[in-house]
Structure formats: C-alpha cells, structure tokens
Amino acid sequence: MSSNHWLLAWLGLELNTLSIIPIIAKPNHPRATEAAMKYFLMQATGATLILCATTINAWQTGQWTMTCTLSQTATTLLTAAIALKLGLAPAHLWYPEVMQGSTPTTALIISTWQKIAPLTMLKMIHNHLNTNTLLTLGITSALLGGLTGLNQTQTRKIMAFSSIAHMGWLIITLTLNLTLTTLTMITYTLMTSTMFYTLATTSSKTLSDMGTTWSLSPTLTTTTMLALVSLGGLPPLTGFMPKWLILKDLVTAPLPSTLLLLASLPSLFFYTRLAYLTTLTTPPTTTNTEHTWRLPTRYTPMMTLMTSTTLLLLPITPLLYHTT
C-alpha cells in the first residue's frame, strides 16, 4: 500500500477525530459531553463523505492513489466533506457550539491542531479542486464568521467565529499559492494560541470578564489588546502579513478581493470591541476585596514567545514567505 493511499489518509483523519473526543468530554460536565457528541457526529459525517468520495473515485478511475486524477463527483464530495470538518461556512454551525462546551485549552487544540490533517488533504489534491467553489467557500466563511460574531458575548464563541473567518482566508490561498497556505496557517495558529493562552490564564469566559483582567496583570492586558488587533489584521502587527500577501495575489480578481476586504470589517469590529473592553473600560463594581481573579497569575512558559511572534513578525515577511 503506497504512502499516499486514500484509505490510509482516511484512517489518519479518523484517528485524529477519535483522539480528541475523550479530551473534549473530560470535564464531566453536560456541556462538555454535548460538545463531544456534536463534534463526533460532524466529524463522522465528514469522514463518511470522504470514504464515499474515494470509493466513487476508485470505481471510476481504478486508482486509490491520492495524487492521481480525481473524478468531478469525488472532488465535489471531498471539498464538501473537508469544509464540514474544518467548520467552513455554510457547514459551520456545529463549530461555535463545540468550542463553547470545551475548556480554553481544548478549544485551542480544536481550532489549530485539528485543522492540520484536513488542510493537508486539501493541499495534496489542490490541483483538482474547483477554484470558484473554493473562492465561494472562503468569502462566505469570512463574511459569516464576521457577521455572526458581532452579537456574541462569550469569548470562546467569539474565537470560534474568528476561526471561521480566518479559515475563509486560508481556503482562498489554496487557489493562489501553497506556500502562502502554509504561512497563513502558521500565523493563524500563533495568533489563536496567544489569545487562548491569555483566556486560560485570566479565566475570562465572557466579555465582562475581560474588563477585570487589568488587576490581575496590566502587562498581560496590554499584550492581549495588541494580540486582538493583530488577529484583526492591522499593520504593523503579524496578523497583517497573510492578508497583505493574499490580497497582493488576488489583485487580478477585483471582485473576490473587494468582497474579502469588506468581509474582514465585521471581524475587525468585534476584535476592536474586545480590545476596548479589555483595556479602556473599568468595570463599574471594582472593589478592594480579594477575589479569585486577584490571585497570583500562573503564566504559561510559552506566553512570551507566543506574544512576541503574534506582534512582531511583519518586518521579516519576505524571509518567512520564501522559506515556508
């Protein structure tokens, strides 16, 4: 059996899915159990569609190799299945619910590590994918991720909608340049990890919790604000890099690039609102009494490195772009 056999790829995806389910369900809370169940059902549906697509492809082409020519039916089914697995719009409704039912650390794994396997599969078959389908999925995800995140107050749900919007940008890079796909994924992972580490450190579950973090660590509050602005994609921070490079390559297609730019505005709004509530507002009920959130902060050892890379990588864009 060759190393790029469809069944081996499917098996890898299944192992990836089944390994995270106990981690999601570990807190023994009804919400965690519900999140694990939803995650399992969605990923199982995606895996079934992939198995169906590869069987149809083997039936029509006589090949089980990933790099051989794919039939049109198989390509469409595979794109739909991987979009479901990644939580791309319009198959995104399960994703915020699963994130909300997980702990911040588990939510971080779901929104970064769990996306690597499906994306690798898309990268391997990118020559056979329909450009218009990918552009539509990308723009829809960027738009819906931004708009549906506007009325959220739960930080994990906001990060889920942020992730959907970022995945939209990421999927569009598959139509442009695979180097850009890798770079976008790396920067997305760095920025998302920084935010989730911050949320885990400060135990912030809602927008109002973010307002109380200043008493725990003013430095962390400031870097959180900058990390949020970086997630929004503003220069001179790292988050501007992938958007800049994607729009540079998309400049020959004015309609998709304009739609993408407009779609990034709602996302930028809720990041800015989160940054504003974190740093520029004082909660109305501040007291001098001891509360749980005033206990000494337990910093994650990786925090400094994560924050630095989230904020400072823009000047070395050419180096990163030509080495990924």
Side-chain angles (χ1 to χ4, degrees), residues 38-78:
K38 284 175 179 171
Y39 187 81
F40 171 72
L41 289 172
M42 288 299 109
Q43 298 295 321
T45 308
T48 310
L49 280 171
I50 289 171
L51 200 56
C52 177
T54 50
T55 310
I56 289 170
N57 188 58
W59 175 38
Q60 292 183 348
T61 62
Q63 296 268 5
W64 278 99
T65 315
M66 289 180 81
T67 45
C68 78
T69 309
L70 286 171
S71 71
Q72 191 59 49
T73 317
T75 309
T76 310
L77 266 175
L78 273 169

Side-chain angles (χ1 to χ4, degrees), residues 192-210:
T192 307
S193 302
T194 304
M195 266 319 297
F196 272 116
Y197 274 136
T198 305
L199 295 176
T201 305
T202 57
S203 304
S204 301
K205 292 182 173 60
T206 62
L207 288 182
S208 54
D209 289 347
M210 296 296 280

Side-chain angles (χ1 to χ4, degrees), residues 1 3 5-20 39 43 47 50-51 66 85 113-114 116-118 120-121:
M1 197 180 272
S3 59
H5 195 284
W6 271 117
L7 282 181
L8 274 179
W10 176 82
L11 185 64
L13 280 174
E14 281 300 278
L15 281 172
N16 184 250
T17 299
L18 293 172
S19 304
I20 191 81
Y39 187 81
Q43 298 295 321
I50 289 171
L51 200 56
M66 289 180 81
K85 276 186 163 290
W113 184 261
Q114 292 300 105
I116 293 172
T120 308
M121 195 177 268

